[in-house]
Amino acid sequence: MCGIWALFGSDECLSVQCLSAMKIAHRGPDAFRFENVNGFTNCCFGFHRLAVVDQLYGMQPIRVKKFPYLWLCYNGEIYNFKQLQKQFGFEYQTLVDGEVILHLYNRGGIEQTASMLDGVFAFILLDTANRKVFLGRDTYGVRPLFKVLTDDGFLGVCSEAKGLINLKHSTTSCLKVEPFLPGHYEVLDLKPSGKVASVELVKFHSYKDEPLHAVCDTVEALPSGFDLETVKSNIRILLENAVRKRLMAHRRIGCLLSGGLDSSLVAAVLLKLMKEINISYPLQTFAIGMENSPDLLAARKVAAHIGSEHHEVIFNSEEGIQAIEEVIFSLETYDITTVRASIGMYLVSRYIRKKTDSVVIFSGEGSDELTQGYIYFHKAPSAEEAAEESERLLKELYLFDVLRADRTTAAHGLELRVPFLDHRFTSYYLSLPAELRIPKNGIEKYLLRQSFEDSNLLPKEILWRPKEAFSDGIASVKKSWFSILQDYIDQQVDDLMLEKAAEKYPFNPPKTKESYYYRQIFEKHYSGQSNWLPHYWMPRWVKATDPSARTLKHYKSAAQE
């Protein structure tokens, strides 16, 4: 996990522009570098490094003797770099997994490069010999990337929008900063002036398709057919493989553990594999919540069952409320449920950074979207509509849960790993008949739970624990975290302010005092950038006015049982 930043065709003083790159210093606390591009005095790269692999030669931009005309800045992990080396006979100059991008590009061009990468990534690749700039981002946008491109060809690229919003350019006073779309690469021509022109934006992978890199995966062809035992076995094999490939690290590995199904499965599989490959240190697991919250109690059970070195972070409502502004600044969004859920994740990440030496952090993000884990899926009119909704949620992950997971951990210099969003795992799960994937017997994620029923990885009451939203599970059942927040915000936002909300904020106008409060803070830091969030996250098929699962009837009946 690092911070990348680059400018092409700047007509302002680069030493002043470079100050913007320092806004993402938290992403790479170990080292930083600025480097001008030979022959292009108005182009430069900035890089903040979190050293996870190759402590000696891991600085960027990466340049190797074999390709002196290629410059690469990337943020991410390429899990199959060794398999690709074996497959194509690449001769690496460093131990950095991202070096494979240079070799793939030299061998087969940008389309093959993006398609063959098994991992999470955002990259800027410069080819000075052919005067091309390439941008690329992984399928689900696990690693963030933003860009600004003016009509006259000034290009700025950064891991987070905050590194671009204060850039200066002579032809415009207000630069349009926007997220780079996941699963795409862009080709731009580099002019002698250092300015660029966009040639094409290409979608290189659809998450429903088996990825091209599956041909050199460590797990070869799986048994075909949709009989239940085969499907369950394939799910176990692929999830285990997803965790195994993510063990690639020279820094200590830890795991977030809410005590819900997803993080518990990841923690259990992770610890099992760490033992198999004889990692010498114990797995640290981390749970956060208010005193006696459901998450703390459930996580404690899981940690005892799997035998992890467990840490509990207990916070009170005052600490959570005090963190709101810094959380919104880190997130770059004002989405209600994202802000709520991020506060706990931000506080636990801060604890991990300050109190432990774990740096590479596993988590359960992506499972709810993939395996239909949200409570409102019980209300889906049909299996087909549920499948379509699952795909929509996956497509928008980069705006919501994946954004939350990246920014809250990156704010404290941690690197997040999310095995549920493994390309092979997701494409296989989405290939299953829609009827197999829906909630059954009143239980969401039924197929995933069934797949691990006989594994003894988890206690039965955890494997079949009903869905609890992270922003809810950290507080007691008696008073939800969203209720605590709303009580506080009621004192900060008066009725008149809310009445005039649509005039003040015509795009995505706040409908509640809570959303108004978050929007106010967002506009303070990112004025005029409300279009980064196309819409609020809300459950479907129910008349919901609040994104919390605890406001839905199904939750209430499950809690009463």
Side-chain angles (χ1 to χ4, degrees):
M1 195 281 301
C2 302
I4 61 175
W5 182 89
L7 298 186
F8 297 89
S10 173
D11 55 14
E12 297 286 329
C13 173
L14 279 182
S15 59
V16 175
Q17 300 277 55
C18 283
L19 293 173
S20 284
M22 300 312 293
K23 294 280 183 70
I24 60 161
H26 51 273
R27 297 190 70 88
D30 294 332
F32 74 91
R33 174 190 283 175
F34 292 114
E35 191 166 338
N36 282 68
V37 178
N38 303 344
F40 296 91
T41 54
N42 58 358
C43 301
C44 74
F45 287 93
F47 178 66
H48 294 276
R49 185 178 187 214
L50 178 69
V52 173
V53 295
D54 198 344
Q55 313 277 7
L56 189 58
Y57 295 109
M59 277 306 284
Q60 297 186 33
I62 297 173
R63 304 183 68 200
V64 295
K65 287 178 185 174
K66 196 172 181 182
F67 316 118
Y69 49 89
L70 295 182
W71 305 59
L72 172 68
C73 241
Y74 89 106
N75 167 27
E77 302 81 48
I78 312 302
Y79 304 121
N80 64 340
F81 77 109
K82 287 182 178 174
Q83 289 95 304
L84 291 169
Q85 179 183 33
K86 191 175 172 184
Q87 174 110 346
F88 298 121
F90 295 149
E91 292 178 14
Y92 292 155
Q93 199 173 301
T94 71
L95 299 175
V96 179
D97 50 286
E99 186 189 332
V100 71
I101 294 172
L102 301 177
H103 295 268
L104 280 171
Y105 171 72
N106 179 69
R107 182 185 181 276
I110 193 63
E111 180 143 20
Q112 187 192 60
T113 301
S115 301
M116 289 300 287
L117 298 175
D118 181 9
V120 293
F121 56 84
F123 66 74
I124 308 157
L125 176 62
L126 169 64
D127 179 346
T128 54
N130 294 294
R131 293 190 182 274
K132 297 283 185 191
V133 177
F134 303 97
L135 309 178
R137 190 176 181 191
D138 68 75
T139 302
Y140 294 110
V142 173
R143 291 291 173 261
L145 194 66
F146 286 81
K147 75 165 193 178
V148 57
L149 178 60
T150 64
D151 291 341
D152 69 332
F154 166 56
L155 173 69
V157 188
C158 189
S159 294
E160 297 182 19
K162 57 181 67 67
L164 300 175
I165 55 171
N166 293 320
L167 291 174
K168 300 286 184 282
H169 191 61
S170 59
T171 63
T172 178
S173 58
C174 187
L175 294 170
K176 188 186 177 188
V177 177
E178 52 193 1
F180 188 82
L181 284 176
H184 287 70
Y185 67 81
E186 186 170 11
V187 183
L188 304 107
D189 283 334
L190 179 66
K191 299 172 183 177
S193 64
K195 298 276 203 294
V196 302
S198 182
V199 177
E200 60 178 344
L201 179 67
V202 178
K203 185 176 184 179
F204 66 84
H205 180 224
S206 170
Y207 37 82
K208 287 178 76 174
D209 301 331
E210 184 170 69
L212 196 61
H213 56 69
V215 295
C216 55
D217 198 356
T218 47
V219 170
E220 295 176 5
L222 292 164
S224 57
F226 296 133
D227 66 278
L228 192 56
E229 290 311 309
T230 298
V231 167
K232 283 159 53 177
S233 170
N234 288 346
I235 287 171
R236 288 193 301 273
I237 289 166
L238 288 174
L239 185 60
E240 192 167 298
N241 184 49
V243 174
R244 184 182 290 108
K245 67 177 77 164
R246 283 164 176 76
L247 289 170
M248 180 183 88
H250 296 162
R251 302 287 287 272
R252 184 167 184 164
I253 291 168
C255 189
L256 298 181
L257 179 60
S258 71
L261 175 68
D262 310 324
S263 63
S264 300
L265 269 180
V266 170
V269 173
L270 176 58
L271 195 137
K272 170 178 173 263
L273 295 177
M274 285 172 68
K275 283 179 179 172
E276 282 179 16
I277 61 171
N278 297 316
I279 288 180
S280 57
Y281 54 80
L283 173 67
Q284 293 180 328
T285 50
F286 304 95
I288 186 164
M290 295 179 172
E291 204 77 58
N292 294 320
S293 68
D295 278 5
L296 283 183
L297 301 174
R300 212 174 287 162
K301 278 182 193 169
V302 176
H305 184 84
I306 65 175
S308 63
E309 180 194 300
H310 192 54
H311 296 242
E312 290 186 351
V313 181
I314 296 170
F315 77 105
N316 58 38
S317 53
E318 192 179 325
E319 288 172 298
I321 286 162
Q322 281 177 348
I324 293 173
E325 180 153 356
E326 55 195 274
V327 165
I328 291 173
F329 176 73
S330 294
L331 291 175
E332 305 173 335
T333 188
Y334 52 94
D335 178 62
I336 304 160
T337 194
T338 304
V339 174
R340 284 178 189 167
S342 294
I343 292 166
M345 201 160 180
Y346 184 87
L347 294 175
V348 75
S349 297
R350 185 166 71 188
Y351 170 90
I352 295 168
R353 186 69 194 178
K354 284 183 176 179
K355 305 285 188 184
T356 79
D357 58 348
S358 286
V359 174
V360 175
I361 307 298
F362 280 68
S363 188
E365 267 71 35
S367 176
D368 283 325
E369 291 77 8
L370 177 67
T371 67
Q372 303 184 16
Y374 293 115
I375 285 173
Y376 72 84
F377 272 98
H378 291 281
K379 304 292 185 186
S382 67
E384 289 67 33
E385 284 188 60
E388 284 171 19
E389 173 67 357
S390 178
E391 288 166 30
R392 182 189 71 83
L393 290 169
L394 287 166
K395 186 180 176 184
E396 294 188 344
L397 263 173
Y398 77 105
L399 297 167
F400 301 109
D401 275 28
V402 153
L403 178 150
R404 163 179 57 78
D406 173 82
R407 301 302 197 287
T408 54
T409 50
H412 301 289
L414 304 176
E415 178 175 296
L416 194 79
R417 298 206 173 164
V418 284
F420 275 109
L421 291 176
D422 180 78
H423 293 178
R424 281 211 62 199
F425 183 75
T426 57
S427 63
Y428 175 74
Y429 207 94
L430 292 171
S431 75
L432 299 172
E435 197 60 45
L436 263 185
R437 292 181 273 146
I438 57 171
K440 286 188 175 62
N441 304 333
I443 300 169
E444 64 284 341
K445 291 189 270 205
Y446 194 85
L447 176 61
L448 181 64
R449 298 174 198 271
Q450 243 189 333
S451 300
F452 287 91
E453 192 165 28
D454 300 322
S455 66
N456 198 36
L457 279 172
L458 295 173
K460 286 283 190 284
E461 67 268 29
I462 298 295
L463 187 65
W464 294 95
R465 183 188 175 198
K467 166 70 181 166
E468 177 82 89
F470 182 54
S471 58
D472 295 329
I474 58 173
S476 75
V477 176
K478 289 177 185 173
K479 185 150 190 179
S480 288
W481 174 228
F482 76 89
S483 301
I484 294 165
L485 284 168
Q486 287 171 351
D487 287 352
Y488 167 76
I489 290 165
D490 270 346
Q491 309 303 311
Q492 314 303 313
V493 178
D494 63 39
D495 295 342
L496 188 61
M497 292 163 84
L498 188 58
E499 274 175 38
K500 296 186 174 179
E503 290 173 39
K504 191 172 184 181
Y505 305 121
F507 183 78
N508 276 344
K511 300 281 172 57
T512 65
K513 288 185 178 182
E514 185 185 7
S515 59
Y516 187 98
Y517 185 72
Y518 298 158
R519 181 66 170 271
Q520 250 186 340
I521 296 171
F522 175 85
E523 293 289 343
K524 175 182 167 184
H525 295 288
Y526 306 110
S527 178
Q529 306 290 355
S530 59
N531 61 314
W532 292 345
L533 177 70
H535 62 86
Y536 292 105
W537 193 100
M538 280 285 177
R540 290 192 66 195
W541 306 307
V542 288
K543 290 178 181 174
T545 54
D546 191 284
S548 170
R550 286 193 181 174
T551 63
L552 304 181
K553 284 178 184 173
H554 185 89
Y555 175 86
K556 289 169 184 168
S557 60
Q560 284 155 7
E561 284 166 23

